[in-house]
């Protein structure tokens, strides 16, 4: 570590130079306080000594052969040496041994040629620290032109070297940073162009300002300038325009959204896209731009449409098949069984078909209890007499069929014997989710009011069994025949209802 | 007299509808299973009531009924279909029943439109 040499105080020896502060040098002449010009001879050697001792550099004088005869005071102050130690070639003791041979070589060459010497080398201070010194030595010639003296000057350039080092370091850091930035930029742009998604950057007004290479390929855009600055929503078709505008509004407010929309490629090829729109934030956290990533889902969309078509066709065939079953039953049993039994069979088949309708809408994955109940009970309700109330809960396909048949039986009975057999009666269907030891239980109740007193059936047929088997076919039901009307309650683990 | 035209390409379902109509008071019943046949039957003997499917093996029920009504004038029509959403145009229909349909529901719809017995 380099350390700058301390500035000397500038104090002057007393006595011989007592009047030094009272005289001035002006145009090479010396004047005193009174402005009287003093004769050159009046400039005494003490003045010169004061000057050279206090020069803010180390300096010295050598004979023509390089033998140093005199050093100024600063030299000794810095090196912590005495004139006796330094005289002649004693200066070598304050040099760095590693650099000294080079110094000697240059110095002896100058002595031989009489040419000035200039070099930077370290000198050890009194504190043991080496500091860099810019050293210049010039020859002094006599009237015949022969070198008779050498005058040397050593300037501490520690600070300059430090500054130079800092500058060099800063330059290296800058180069490294530039290189890593270029590398990072190259990496990012290679990632961007490798993606088959169409990655776009929008300005806050929704206009396009960037599109990835891969994105231009999938959008069939040859030159980005063809769409630069265009309002991005205008590239959408139909409902996509509004969805894109909504997504931009959301992104401006800092929210990310995903939507699907149709948009033609630039070459006019119709495509479907899954589009994710999110805010790009600046350093201060404010939304500066908007990122839009579109993935081509045309194949998926077409597959989905085919699937929907197929599901619809299948549902239609199923309904026709159920109709045929009903027709066969009518033809086969029409004369053999009583009309009521045939009618019950028919209406149960209709309830089952209703459940199929609800399931078809969800690709047979799940159905909401409200949809199932609404589907089954709609045909029984002649004027808002059946009240449905409960949370939005989805149940599986099998549970949907059980619940449909169950509600159908309850409603049929209510129409025949219960609250719906009179004009003032009503039914309340309530369902809730209850937590029981970490398990979710669906609790469903059917409560009739305003009808005749309920009576337990004298004969237990298939209808009663459907009701008793409850939501999963495993029971968990409770039915009460009371004067105020029938009430039915069923519970089942939600897990079970959703799996089946 | 109540002559009923049943347009239904599924023989069994057509039989059931015909039975219901007969029980409900139809005096004569004719069956057709294509659009063209339905129009021909109606022209040969104009029906008092039409009970029709929507999708047929050839053509559609609504198309047949539209032609019959153009040629013979309005008359009560009940559609019985697995695809009620495809029943177009049929805002004039007395009822649109979804398959499968309970015979009792057909009876109810039929009795609502059948002309009073002479």
């Amino acid at each position: 570590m380099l350390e700058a040499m301390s500035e000397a105080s500038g104090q002057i020896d007393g006595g011989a130079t007592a009047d030094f502060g009272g005289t001035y040098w002006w145009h090479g002449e010396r004047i005193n306080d009174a402005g009287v010009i003093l004769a050159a001879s009046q400039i005494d050697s003490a003045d010169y000594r004061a000057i050279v001792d206090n020069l803010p550099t180390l300096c010295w004088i050598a004979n023509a052969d390089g033998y140093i005869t005199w050093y100024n005071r600063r030299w000794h102050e810095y090196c912590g040496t005495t004139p006796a130690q330094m005289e002649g070639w004693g200066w070598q003791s304050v040099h760095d041994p590693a650099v000294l041979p080079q110094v000697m070589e240059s110095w002896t060459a100058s002595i031989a040629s009489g040419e000035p010497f200039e070099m930077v080398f370290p000198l050890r201070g009194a504190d043991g620290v080496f500091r860099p010194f810019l050293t210049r030595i010039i020859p002094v010639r006599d009237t015949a032109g022969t070198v008779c003296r050498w005058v040397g000057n050593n300037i501490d350039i520690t600070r300059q070297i430090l500054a130079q080092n800092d500058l060099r370091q800063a330059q290296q850091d800058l180069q490294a940073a530039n290189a890593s930035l270029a590398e990072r930029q190259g990496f990012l742009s290679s990632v961007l162009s490798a993606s088959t998604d169409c990655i776009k950057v929008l300005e806050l007004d929704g206009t396009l300002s960037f599109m990835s290479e891969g994105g231009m390929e999938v959008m069939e855009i040859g030159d980005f300038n063809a769409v630069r600055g265009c309002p991005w929503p205008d590239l959408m078709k139909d409902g996509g325009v509004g969805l894109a505008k909504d997504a931009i509004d959301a992104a401006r407010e800092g929210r990310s959204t995903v939507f699907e929309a149709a948009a033609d490629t630039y070459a006019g090829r119709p495509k479907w896209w899954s589009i994710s729109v999110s805010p790009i934030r600046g350093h201060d956290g404010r939304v500066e731009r908007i990122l839009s990533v579109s993935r081509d889902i045309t194949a998926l969309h077409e597959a989905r449409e085919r699937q929907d078509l197929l599901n619809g066709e299948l549902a239609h065939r199923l309904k026709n098949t159920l109709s045929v079953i009903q027709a066969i039953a009518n033809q086969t049993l029409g004369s053999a069984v009583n009309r009521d039994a045939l009618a019950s069979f028919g209406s149960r088949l209709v309830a089952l078909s209703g459940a199929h309708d609800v399931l078809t809408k969800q690709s047979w994955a799940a159905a909401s209890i409200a949809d199932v109940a609404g589907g089954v009970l709609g045909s029984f309700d002649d004027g808002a007499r059946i009240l449905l109330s409960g949370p939005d809960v989805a149940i599986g396909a099998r549970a949907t069929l059980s619940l449909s048949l169950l509600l159908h039986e309850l409603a049929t009975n209510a129409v025949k014997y219960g609250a719906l057999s009179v004009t003032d009666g009503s039914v309340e269907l309530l369902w809730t989710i209850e937590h029981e030891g970490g398990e979710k239980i669906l609790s469903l109740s059917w409560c009739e009011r305003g009808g005749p007193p309920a009576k337990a059936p004298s004969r237990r047929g298939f209808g009663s069994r459907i009701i008793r088997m409850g939501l999963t076919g495993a029971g968990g039901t409770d039915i009460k025949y009371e004067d105020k009307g029938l009430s039915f309650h069923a519970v089942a683990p939600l897990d079970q209802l959703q799996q089946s | 007299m109540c002559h009923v035209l049943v347009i239904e390409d599924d023989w069994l379902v057509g039989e059931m509808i015909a039975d219901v109509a007969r029980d409900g008071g139809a005096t004569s019943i004719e069956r057709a299973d294509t659009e063209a046949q339905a129009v021909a039957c109606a022209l040969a003997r104009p029906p008092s009531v039409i009970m029709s499917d929507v999708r047929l093996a050839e053509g559609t029920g609504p198309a047949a009924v539209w032609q019959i009504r153009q040629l013979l004038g309005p008359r009560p029509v009940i559609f019985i279909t697995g695809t009620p959403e495809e029943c177009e145009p049929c805002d004039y229909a007395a009822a649109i029943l979804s398959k499968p349909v309970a015979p009792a529901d057909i009876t109810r719809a039929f009795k609502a439109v059948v002309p009073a017995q002479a």
Side-chain angles (χ1 to χ4, degrees):
Chain A
M1 184 62 197
L2 297 172
E3 194 179 303
M5 168 185 149
S6 61
E7 300 293 338
S9 62
Q11 255 186 355
I12 302 162
D13 288 347
T17 57
D19 68 336
F20 186 71
T23 58
Y24 309 91
W25 291 85
W26 185 72
H27 283 217
E29 291 179 313
R30 190 173 176 236
I31 54 176
N32 66 11
D33 282 345
V36 178
I37 297 173
L38 304 171
S41 61
Q42 286 181 279
I43 302 169
D44 59 34
S45 66
D47 285 348
Y48 286 113
R49 238 188 68 215
I51 293 165
V52 293
D53 274 346
N54 288 290
L55 278 176
T57 62
L58 315 190
C59 52
W60 44 268
I61 297 173
N63 290 338
D65 60 2
Y67 186 92
I68 297 182
T69 56
W70 174 84
Y71 291 93
N72 73 345
R73 205 180 70 206
R74 289 231 185 266
W75 175 284
H76 294 302
E77 277 174 2
Y78 171 70
C79 295
T81 52
T82 62
Q85 288 165 334
M86 289 292 103
E87 191 183 334
W89 301 88
W91 50 266
Q92 294 181 25
S93 66
V94 297
H95 273 243
D96 180 347
V99 185
L100 185 58
Q102 209 186 326
V103 176
M104 282 302 289
E105 191 185 328
S106 299
W107 178 214
T108 49
S110 278
I111 292 167
S113 65
E115 288 298 310
F117 169 105
E118 180 171 328
M119 188 177 174
V120 173
F121 52 72
L123 289 178
R124 192 179 61 228
D127 54 2
V129 176
F130 281 102
R131 294 180 183 81
F133 279 79
L134 169 64
T135 298
R136 287 204 180 97
I137 308 169
I138 51 161
V140 179
R141 296 174 193 275
D142 59 18
T143 45
T146 314
V147 175
C148 58
R149 287 278 193 279
W150 292 94
V151 176
N153 183 17
N154 315 81
I155 302 170
D156 182 353
I157 55 168
T158 306
R159 287 195 181 131
Q160 288 70 16
I161 294 277
L162 283 172
Q164 205 170 23
N165 286 348
D166 284 352
L167 190 65
R168 196 175 298 132
Q169 187 61 48
Q171 273 169 339
Q172 280 172 357
D173 289 351
L174 190 66
Q175 274 171 1
N178 275 339
S180 110
L181 199 66
E183 193 184 341
R184 197 172 149 70
Q185 205 163 20
F187 171 75
L188 287 178
S189 77
S190 71
V191 169
L192 276 178
S193 50
S195 172
T196 54
D197 289 348
C198 181
I199 302 169
K200 296 169 289 293
V201 174
L202 314 177
E203 297 306 310
L204 291 177
D205 62 1
T207 55
L208 280 165
S209 57
F210 169 83
M211 188 180 287
S212 63
E213 273 178 56
M216 301 219 304
E217 216 162 288
V218 293
M219 278 301 283
E220 302 185 298
I221 293 173
D223 177 8
F224 178 62
N225 287 319
V227 292
R228 183 193 297 278
C230 288
W232 172 63
D234 291 358
L235 303 183
M236 302 289 148
K237 281 206 296 207
D238 310 327
V241 180
L243 291 172
K245 284 179 178 164
D246 291 349
I248 289 171
D249 287 345
R252 270 202 291 257
E253 288 164 15
R255 284 180 291 121
S256 298
T257 50
V258 179
F259 66 96
E260 288 183 9
D264 294 349
T265 66
Y266 199 64
R269 200 188 305 269
K271 296 254 185 199
W272 271 87
W273 308 89
S274 168
I275 303 160
S276 144
V277 178
S278 41
I280 302 174
R281 293 177 190 278
H283 291 299
D284 58 359
R286 272 196 304 202
V287 179
E288 284 185 346
R289 290 192 176 78
I290 298 168
L291 180 70
S292 152
V293 180
S294 312
R295 174 163 297 175
D296 182 354
I297 54 159
T298 310
L300 180 70
H301 188 80
E302 283 169 356
R304 241 190 253 152
E305 278 190 332
R306 277 197 299 275
Q307 186 69 48
D308 285 351
L309 209 66
L310 206 65
N311 277 349
E313 193 53 39
L314 220 63
H316 179 236
R317 299 236 168 135
L318 191 64
K319 284 182 191 176
N320 270 348
T321 303
L322 289 173
S323 289
V324 171
I325 290 170
Q326 191 146 52
I328 290 174
N330 261 37
Q331 299 297 325
T332 312
L333 308 171
S335 53
V337 301
N338 72 49
R339 286 270 149 193
D340 281 354
L342 208 53
S344 290
F345 173 78
S347 62
R348 281 170 192 155
L349 218 56
V350 172
L352 208 59
S353 171
H356 286 175
D357 273 350
V358 175
L359 285 170
T360 302
K361 288 194 191 102
Q362 300 290 323
S363 301
W364 280 75
S368 91
I369 291 181
D371 284 351
V372 174
V376 174
L377 302 174
S379 60
F380 291 96
D381 195 357
D382 54 357
R385 298 169 69 191
I386 306 179
L387 173 81
L388 308 184
S389 165
D392 187 14
V393 180
I395 54 175
R398 194 193 290 256
T400 298
L401 297 178
S402 315
L403 179 63
S404 296
L405 285 179
L406 170 65
L407 293 176
H408 173 259
E409 284 321 309
L410 288 167
T412 304
N413 286 344
V415 167
K416 279 189 187 163
Y417 318 110
L420 301 180
S421 68
V422 297
T423 48
D424 294 338
S426 64
V427 179
E428 202 173 32
L429 176 69
L430 300 175
W431 64 95
T432 54
I433 301 294
E434 286 162 10
H435 296 263
E436 217 172 85
E439 200 182 22
K440 285 183 180 173
I441 306 285
L442 176 72
S443 164
L444 177 133
S445 70
W446 169 278
C447 189
E448 297 182 21
R449 290 293 176 264
K455 279 188 229 137
S458 50
R459 196 181 62 85
R460 288 195 160 178
F462 181 54
S464 310
R465 259 175 60 209
I466 289 177
I467 293 172
R468 280 205 315 280
M469 290 300 115
L471 297 165
T472 57
T477 59
D478 175 34
I479 187 159
K480 287 196 181 77
Y481 300 95
E482 296 168 314
D483 282 351
K484 56 188 174 185
L486 177 143
S487 61
F488 166 83
H489 185 230
V491 289
L494 190 61
D495 272 1
Q496 215 174 320
L497 293 171
Q498 288 176 332
Q499 279 164 10
S500 58
Chain B
M1 294 293 283
C2 176
H3 179 59
V4 176
L5 175 62
V6 176
I7 309 171
E8 167 64 65
D9 61 351
D10 193 295
W11 178 80
L12 278 164
V13 177
E15 273 309 287
M16 179 182 78
I17 294 168
D19 281 357
V20 169
R22 194 173 291 115
D23 291 352
T27 49
S28 62
I29 291 168
E30 198 159 9
R31 300 269 315 272
D33 50 16
T34 68
E35 181 180 320
Q37 198 192 346
V39 176
C41 287
L43 287 182
R45 187 171 175 192
S48 313
V49 177
I50 301 172
M51 302 175 85
S52 175
D53 194 3
V54 170
R55 286 192 195 176
L56 299 173
E58 283 172 37
T60 74
V65 173
W66 185 81
Q67 292 170 63
I68 294 167
R69 284 165 57 92
Q70 290 294 308
L71 296 165
L72 303 176
R75 58 207 57 227
V77 181
I78 296 167
F79 286 102
I80 302 168
T81 173
T83 54
E85 67 282 0
E86 290 175 20
C87 192
E88 193 66 38
C90 52
D91 45 359
Y92 52 78
I96 301 171
L97 303 175
S98 247
K99 281 183 184 172
V101 59
D105 292 332
I106 306 177
T107 304
R108 199 175 306 122
F110 182 72
K111 286 196 168 156
V113 300
V114 73
Q117 294 296 314

